[in-house]
Amino acid sequence: DIRIRSLLKYSRAVKELQDDANQLSAINEIQRDIAMARLDLETILQLAVERIQQLTRASGSSILFIEEHELVLKAAHGLENARLGERFSIAGRYAWQCVQAGEIFCCEDAVLDPRMERDQSRLIGVRSILDVPLCHDQKVLGLLHVESGLPQAFRRRDIHALELIAGLIAAAIVHAMEFQAKHALLTERSAALE
């Protein structure tokens, strides 16, 4: 009986180590692919939401930028009815707390959580939510939003992985935006010289 419990405990530990190794490998692949996107903002955003959905086994993921006290949907994958450019007020919502504090928001069951619009969550079939702030140089640029139709869908491992990836995505976004701004300025100056 003790041997069986020890073997089961050992098997679980080995599986956890394998899961951790697989997740680190997936994070490295995401990092490589984002680097290969060559400062193309749309490619970076779309690649990020696709890979994050796969990494966390979520039903959907999105990236939202903060613009004048609103969240603007910039990329989405696996989310029905997601419309790029759609704007959401963040005042008074859980997302506002995430933005203000620069901390991860985790909802294990949106149907039961009093912070959530429970009827809306039930209607659209969202149970678990993770919002991770996209921070660069101590400024919150937006949110990485991941959701699932299952309660308690995200593990601590998923939260840590998203924390790591959020920093990478935020840096890639900033560099791509700076590159686009410099490219537009050079194009404008070149046109003015002609």
Side-chain angles (χ1 to χ4, degrees):
D1 199 35
I2 293 174
R3 288 170 124 180
I4 292 172
R5 278 186 274 164
S6 294
L7 282 172
L8 288 173
K9 193 174 182 180
Y10 176 77
S11 295
R12 275 185 250 130
V14 167
K15 181 167 178 6
E16 278 188 39
L17 286 172
Q18 287 172 334
D19 288 347
D20 287 347
N22 289 341
Q23 195 164 45
L24 284 173
S25 177
I27 290 169
N28 284 335
E29 285 179 30
I30 293 169
Q31 183 176 2
R32 182 198 68 222
D33 291 345
I34 287 175
M36 298 293 285
R38 305 213 183 258
L39 299 175
D40 179 345
L41 183 60
E42 274 66 43
T43 301
I44 290 167
L45 295 175
Q46 197 55 44
L47 185 93
V49 292
E50 288 171 11
R51 293 300 182 82
I52 286 165
Q53 182 185 356
Q54 293 167 357
L55 179 69
T56 60
R57 296 164 319 284
S59 57
S61 63
S62 59
I63 292 178
L64 301 105
F65 285 3
I66 298 170
E67 294 178 5
E68 301 172 15
H69 296 314
E70 290 183 313
L71 289 171
V72 180
L73 184 63
K74 294 295 185 174
H77 188 71
L79 297 175
E80 293 180 34
N81 305 322
R83 293 182 298 267
L84 297 184
E86 188 172 6
R87 299 173 101 61
F88 306 93
S89 173
I90 55 176
R93 298 182 74 178
Y94 65 86
W96 182 245
Q97 296 168 342
C98 182
V99 168
Q100 288 291 95
E103 295 176 356
I104 293 173
F105 171 81
C106 179
C107 175
E108 292 188 343
D109 194 341
V111 173
L112 301 176
D113 193 322
R115 301 173 294 179
M116 306 301 296
E117 297 172 15
R118 294 183 229 177
D119 291 336
Q120 178 72 11
S121 298
R122 202 175 277 114
L123 179 69
I124 61 175
V126 173
R127 297 293 295 266
S128 299
I129 297 170
L130 275 178
D131 280 336
V132 181
L134 294 169
C135 301
H136 185 74
D137 284 341
Q138 313 227 341
K139 180 182 177 194
V140 181
L141 309 170
L143 295 175
L144 171 59
H145 173 84
V146 183
E147 61 186 47
S148 173
L150 301 172
Q152 301 174 346
F154 305 114
R155 301 166 298 174
R156 185 173 304 281
R157 179 182 300 124
D158 295 322
I159 295 169
H160 291 303
L162 290 180
E163 268 184 310
L164 289 170
I165 292 169
L168 166 72
I169 292 169
I173 288 169
V174 167
H175 294 305
M177 291 171 85
E178 287 173 352
F179 175 77
Q180 285 179 348
K182 288 177 184 175
H183 185 266
L185 183 61
L186 281 172
T187 303
E188 184 182 304
R189 286 184 180 168
S190 293
L193 292 174
E194 292 177 357

